[in-house]
Amino acid sequence: MAEYELLGLFQDVDSAGDAVEALRQVGVSDRSLRVLSAFPLSSKILGRKHYNHKLGLAAGAGALLGFAAAIFFAVITPQLYPIVVGGRPLLNGPPMLILVFELTMLGTLLGGFLGFLWQGGFPSAGGLYDKRIAEGYLGVAVQVDEALLEKVQAAYSAHKPVDLKKAEVKPRPDRRLLIGTIAIVALLAVNFALLAVSFDILHLEFLPDQMKAQISFASQMGPRLGAPAGAVPVPGVALVGGRPATAPLAMTEDSLQRGAILFDIHCAVCHTVDEDEPVTQVASFFPDDGEPPAMTSARVMARTPEQIFTFITDGIGKMPSLAENLYPANRWDVVNDVRSLTPAE
Amino acid sequence: MSIETERNPWMSAPPESEDEQEQVEHLRKDHLLLDPVGMEAMNQDALGSMTRHGRWTWMLIVVLGGLAMMAGVGWLVQLFVGLGFTGLNRTIFWGMYIINLVYFIGIGHAGTFISAAFRVMGFETRRPIARAAETVTLFALAAAGLFPIIHLGRPWKVYWMIPIPNQRQLWPNFQSALEWDAMAIMTYVVGSVLFIYIGLLPDLAMARERTGVNWRRRLYSALSLGWRGTDRQWALHESVSTIFAYVIIPVMFSVHTIVSWDFAMTIQPGWHSTIFGPFFIVGALYSGVAAVLVAMGFLRRFLKLGYFIREEHFDVMAKFLLIMSFAWIYFYFGEFLVTWYGNLPPEMTILDLLLYGEAAPLWWLMIFCNVVVPVGLLWMRRVRRNPGILFVIAVFIQVGMYLERYLIVGVMLGRPELPFNYSWYYPGLEIPIAIGAFSFVIFFYFIFTVFVPIISTWEVGEGQFLHGLRKIGRKITKFKSDMH
Amino acid sequence: MSEQDASGKRRWTMIVDLDKCSGCGACVVACHAENNVPIAAEDQVVADRSQHWMRIERYWEGEYPDVKARFVPVLCQHCGEAPCEPVCPVYATYHDERGGLNAMIYARCVGTRYCANNCPYRVRFFNYFDPVFAEPLNNQLNPDVTVRSAGVMEKCTFCVQRIRRAEHTAKVEGRTLADGEVLPACVQACPTGALMFGDRYDAASAVAKLLEHNGRAVRLLETLGTDPSIYYLKGGTSHVD
Amino acid sequence: MSRPTRVWITVIGLVVLLVFIGPFIFGVLASVPNYEQPIVEFSHKRHVQNAGIDCLYCHSGATRSPVSGIPSVEKCMGCHEHVLSGEAPIVKLQEYWENGEPISWTRVYQLPRYVHYPHHVHVSAGLNCETCHGNVGEMDIVTPAQIPNMGWCIRCHQGEENAVELMDCLNCHY
């Protein structure tokens, strides 16, 4: 059955009120009846029932949400992100109160506004309207089905409206759900955009962060300057006149432990401990006569600690210098380790 | 102002005797709410004001827009080069950017006060000027919101002040007054924008109906959200306005209190004061009401809104201004009395500096603008009812209040505890940017008046209707429908 | 003065003997070199933007010809109750509890400059421009210290890079930090030995021992309740005449 | 909707897309890294898996200094004087050696310079190279195993016993 919307224009409050009354008597329910005006008129003047809206509820809910958000920001997140702030309390009463106050108020305002939009059905495509309403005329609008149409029209004309408009109501889908969904999606999108910025996913700088790259030179950063012409190279302090500049370390347990570890890293690449062991991958590149000797071989056992130290520092034969790898003290650790090795039975 | 009228039926009956006629005529001339001309005429007048910008106004708009753009360029330069072109130094780290922030937030207080507090208190005089005042708030807040960002050394990192979860697991410091500031200003801006928008809805709908089919109509249709003015919509509208009015007043007070805490929470001599909260609120209302007076003068003079904005409104606002000036003087005197009595060397240095030192010219000029001019003139009824003179007085107060903030931020900061660090502030790039900010506010105010009815006709109509009811009492309340 | 702290916290402390200070400025130069402090050009100094993490404040006493100069080296006081710390909205400056340092994280700074306003000593500096180190000066920059860009605050760190380096070495070698192992650049450079540095919580340290029986020790603007870490030994017996 | 309106909406939509999404696309494209090395044939996998060389043999700074260090050309030549010395990539290496030039290896792990990360402290605390750098021994061309951003550092430090000490900003930023 088709629904119709009617809008009657009246010149004053009196006749509008009468029309409302007449329409109600015809059987139009209060719900489908609207009085349109250019400024607020109390429902009493129009002879209408008081409209019980739930704006207070919406504002209250907003206030609660704002309060909860404030508590979340002020109380819970500092626990989630325990920043080291040098003994100052992460929770502090008075500042927290300020935050709670502001966000509660913000929640109330937003809640009130959203409640207003929701309950007023905004944004709506409207319905019948007449520009004369904005000029001071009053409109009485009803929505009735076909059965009641005749009677309603009669009731209208009995009060001599300035104008009477009629339109068929086409069923429209409820757009609130759509709008709500769009709003939520938009909010999420904004949220994710913020997250993206804060997570440095894109490394997007609006202006170059000059502190990220510095004008100072860090270790091993080019361009490296060569030594000035005529500079005398310093041979280093490891050897003086071909002899170690530092004294051997005592064969303590610490030293031996360190030595064993360092041997594994720096020496075991080529050298084996026992002669029976298979040669390492690197050593296999050497011709048979040039193979690195095993540590327990007679050749190595015959060396003095100072000689071994010098070999590590300077290299010997095909063995490169390991000065870059080991500090002098560490070299002595390795020497200690090598000296402590005994041939396998 | 002559407007063709078609008297609505609820207007009072024609006066019976000649005496009454004279009395009624007198009242009518004086009071907007007793001088109804009908909604149509009012709508026409209010909407017509959008097209009443003359050639000079448009030229002014262009100039103002240009100045605002210039400030934008200045800020871009600052963004890429650093804050070096400002007059800040190693003693005075806050300058005109913060002064502007405080000043514009102060201006932004009057609009809310007039529309929300006057609404709550039932002052009928608010009706025609509320929107004009709220618009001042809106754009002053927009300018004020820019300045903390302009002020920053690395503004592109400003989002670090917002509590959003991040991989660094860092959180803003809610113990910092600046963080409170950010929260309070955000709340206030959101509240003010929504408040002004709610009030605008019916007028946007009215504008929608009264414009031909063009882009304007499309704009108004979208903005008015399909407002029809049904009784239910009006009931919701009333309620939401009341909620906003009651909530936004404490927010307004909190905002400037918190701004004052930016200073009061430090240990800088001259700033470390407990009365800064109420003192700043009073100062804010003082300069804000003066700014609204400037706007009202402009609307009346250039947009020819003399029907809506009458001498009675100027009178009320001027009285309010006078009260605020007394309150301001009280706080200012109180603060310095305490300083003088306490006699602490760092504080006395500042007092001496203001009274007879380097800053004395500025200080005495401020006293002249803020005390001598308003207190000396505003007690006269003739002055209070003269928009021209009021305009001048209001400009004086703007200068005075700007100077007051300048002295607090730019001058007092130059006198820290150790005399080795004494310094003086010579603003540089801040001046064009401040000029740009003023232009920005005025520019957008102008533009706003082009697009939106600056007078809330539905509020005036409602007021006139209610007055009509009150005046003829019994005669009109006897609706037939009321009997049931 | 020797408060022993059980939790292994330190309180790095500097002692400035005003009697020994001749105002030569070696500390200032050393600080500039160590900490990559930009050098404010002439026009910047005229605009009151001199930038020295450590500066020698000079006060005159008496009337000509009987004039005496007093030198007070002023650097960040590393306050225990620092006014600059709670006002930072992003925790770019906060208290380092382990060393009692007043920390400044350049990378976190957004440049509100609130901390600097709230510093009664005015020892925080703002980079109004990007620092300029013309070739070949950039070769002498300390790689261990960030060169601060325009828009961030900076201040004396008690040469925290040296503290960290010593701590790291000690940790790798599996021992605790010894007294005197850390020397800030200014202390190292002071020719008259007017500056001393150490951990006050360590009762055996030279600093703690000196403060224990010294009636000359005062702190700058102590009435403000900032609890500074820098002690000045009052001068009075010798002046530059 | 009329045709011109639709055209306008499309144009405006495209502009909005360009303004808001363009920078992000640009940012993504600009942040795609290139890890090509000057000696392309250099393979960590061959050195670690085939030759059995420990990480610390070449990057020996990791145990004793804040930086792990890139081996010098001298260290490369120490072995390659004899090992595979005729191969094409080694000839390239020998050119560097003879010219006395360092090899400008492309940096794979780049922390911002305001972060100070000490390798020796982490190694002496018992961390393996693989914990942060991934299984380099399996890679021919090394690519970052993770983005070394602050959140990644923090997540590790959080779980430690002395987390309060380790989470201090002044540990790394100065």
Side-chain angles (χ1 to χ4, degrees), chain B residues 20-39:
Chain B
E20 201 189 337
Q21 166 113 37
E22 207 171 289
Q23 209 179 346
V24 165
E25 191 59 26
H26 178 72
L27 281 170
R28 196 183 65 75
K29 257 181 82 180
D30 242 24
H31 297 290
L32 170 67
L33 296 186
L34 300 180
D35 184 19
V37 291
M39 282 303 282

Side-chain angles (χ1 to χ4, degrees), chain D residues 37-162:
Chain D
Q37 299 291 353
I39 298 179
V40 192
E41 298 86 347
F42 177 79
S43 158
H44 270 89
K45 191 177 174 180
R46 288 181 71 180
H47 284 79
V48 177
Q49 280 202 338
N50 301 3
I53 301 172
D54 199 283
C55 307
L56 290 168
Y57 181 85
C58 297
H59 303 285
S60 51
T63 48
R64 56 183 198 217
S65 86
V67 276
S68 58
I70 307 287
S72 61
V73 181
E74 190 186 354
K75 198 183 270 185
C76 300
M77 284 306 290
C79 296
H80 281 295
E81 217 178 339
H82 312 293
V83 179
L84 296 174
S85 47
E87 307 274 313
I90 307 301
V91 171
K92 227 186 263 178
L93 174 72
Q94 273 161 345
E95 269 168 40
Y96 279 105
W97 174 241
E98 275 150 28
N99 295 340
E101 272 176 19
I103 307 171
S104 46
W105 298 106
T106 306
R107 203 172 171 129
V108 177
Y109 288 90
Q110 175 76 71
L111 290 179
R113 284 287 304 280
Y114 49 72
V115 183
H116 300 275
Y117 173 86
H119 272 90
H120 56 331
V121 178
H122 286 85
V123 172
S124 73
L127 260 80
N128 287 325
C129 307
E130 289 83 7
T131 315
C132 306
H133 292 283
N135 202 349
V136 177
E138 296 285 338
M139 301 179 196
D140 278 324
I141 291 171
V142 176
T143 48
Q146 34 243 326
I147 304 168
N149 59 16
M150 183 166 155
W152 179 68
C153 298
I154 290 282
R155 274 196 291 282
C156 202
H157 278 195
Q158 244 170 359
E160 292 296 310
E161 218 172 277
N162 51 346

Side-chain angles (χ1 to χ4, degrees), chain A residues 7-344:
Chain A
L7 175 72
L9 271 190
F10 295 91
Q11 220 167 12
D12 54 23
V13 181
D14 255 344
S15 42
D18 289 347
V20 168
E21 185 52 35
L23 284 168
R24 202 184 287 143
Q25 272 174 7
V26 172
V28 177
S29 75
D30 220 38
R31 277 174 54 89
S32 58
L33 217 154
R34 295 278 186 281
V35 181
L36 282 64
S37 59
F39 49 79
L41 292 167
S42 73
S43 47
K44 218 176 210 171
I45 284 183
L46 299 166
R48 305 257 294 139
K49 265 190 226 151
H50 182 67
Y51 170 38
N52 283 319
H53 57 70
K54 296 188 179 59
L55 259 192
L57 206 68
L64 265 181
L65 266 178
F67 181 79
I71 293 294
F72 179 73
F73 284 148
V75 183
I76 297 171
T77 27
Q79 318 289 334
L80 294 177
Y81 299 128
I83 308 174
V84 179
V85 289
R88 274 172 209 285
L90 279 171
L91 299 182
N92 222 339
M96 224 169 81
L97 279 183
I98 294 170
L99 182 74
V100 166
F101 171 78
E102 295 297 344
L103 286 190
T104 309
M105 287 309 189
L106 185 63
T108 317
L109 292 176
L110 287 176
F113 185 70
L114 289 179
F116 170 69
L117 289 186
W118 186 266
Q119 294 190 37
F122 299 114
S124 67
L128 281 178
Y129 194 70
D130 192 286
K131 70 180 277 188
R132 277 169 289 184
I133 290 167
E135 318 299 2
Y137 286 83
L138 287 136
V140 177
V142 287
Q143 207 165 325
V144 291
D145 52 33
E146 229 171 341
L148 222 58
L149 189 62
E150 300 269 311
K151 278 193 204 167
V152 168
Q153 268 171 330
Y156 265 120
S157 34
H159 293 89
K160 301 198 172 49
V162 181
D163 200 355
L164 182 62
K165 289 185 175 181
K166 192 179 101 179
E168 197 173 338
V169 180
K170 294 178 201 107
R172 254 199 312 269
D174 194 353
R175 282 165 61 198
R176 288 181 191 183
L177 196 67
L178 182 72
I179 290 161
T181 318
I182 290 171
I184 288 167
V185 169
L187 275 175
L188 281 178
V190 168
N191 196 18
F192 277 117
L194 287 173
L195 278 178
V197 172
S198 70
F199 262 82
D200 283 7
I201 289 167
L202 303 178
H203 296 281
L204 203 62
E205 297 284 347
F206 300 106
L207 285 175
D209 190 338
Q210 267 132 348
M211 284 193 286
K212 228 168 212 171
Q214 296 260 297
I215 51 173
S216 64
F217 296 113
S219 117
Q220 295 201 321
M221 202 186 220
R224 279 172 245 174
L225 302 179
V232 182
V234 178
V237 291
L239 295 174
V240 176
R243 315 274 309 160
T246 48
L249 292 179
M251 266 213 205
T252 57
E253 204 162 306
D254 261 9
S255 173
L256 286 174
Q257 224 170 25
R258 271 201 302 274
I261 296 171
L262 290 172
F263 182 88
D264 277 347
I265 296 170
H266 297 287
C267 312
V269 176
C270 301
H271 293 284
T272 53
V273 174
D274 288 318
E275 277 176 299
D276 309 338
E277 281 178 58
V279 292
T280 61
Q281 181 71 27
V282 175
S284 69
F285 280 101
F286 294 92
D288 277 345
D289 57 323
E291 236 172 50
M295 285 296 113
T296 48
S297 64
R299 235 170 103 196
V300 177
M301 296 298 266
R303 301 296 185 189
T304 62
E306 278 79 10
Q307 276 174 323
I308 300 176
F309 183 93
T310 319
F311 295 154
I312 299 174
T313 311
D314 272 351
I316 180 161
K318 288 179 179 170
M319 173 177 165
S321 154
L322 290 181
E324 195 180 321
N325 296 30
L326 296 163
Y327 285 161
N330 297 138
R331 285 173 223 160
W332 284 119
D333 290 331
V334 175
V335 172
N336 282 343
D337 179 58
V338 170
R339 298 305 298 170
S340 68
L341 295 173
T342 46

Side-chain angles (χ1 to χ4, degrees), chain C residues 90-158:
Chain C
V90 291
Y91 283 125
T93 183
Y94 73 98
H95 207 67
D96 166 49
E97 232 185 340
R98 280 193 294 146
L101 296 177
N102 179 229
M104 176 71 219
I105 310 302
Y106 313 120
R108 178 71 174 161
C109 179
V110 296
T112 65
R113 310 194 284 293
Y114 201 0
C115 53
N117 272 347
N118 209 11
C119 175
Y121 311 98
R122 286 297 193 276
V123 286
R124 291 180 150 267
F125 301 91
F126 184 70
N127 284 284
Y128 287 101
F129 290 113
D130 269 321
V132 179
F133 294 95
E135 292 268 355
L137 274 177
N138 55 341
N139 284 316
Q140 57 89 41
L141 290 171
N142 186 349
D144 287 344
V145 179
T146 313
V147 179
R148 285 76 55 184
S149 71
V152 298
M153 298 300 307
E154 61 180 56
K155 67 166 194 73
C156 161
T157 57
F158 264 177

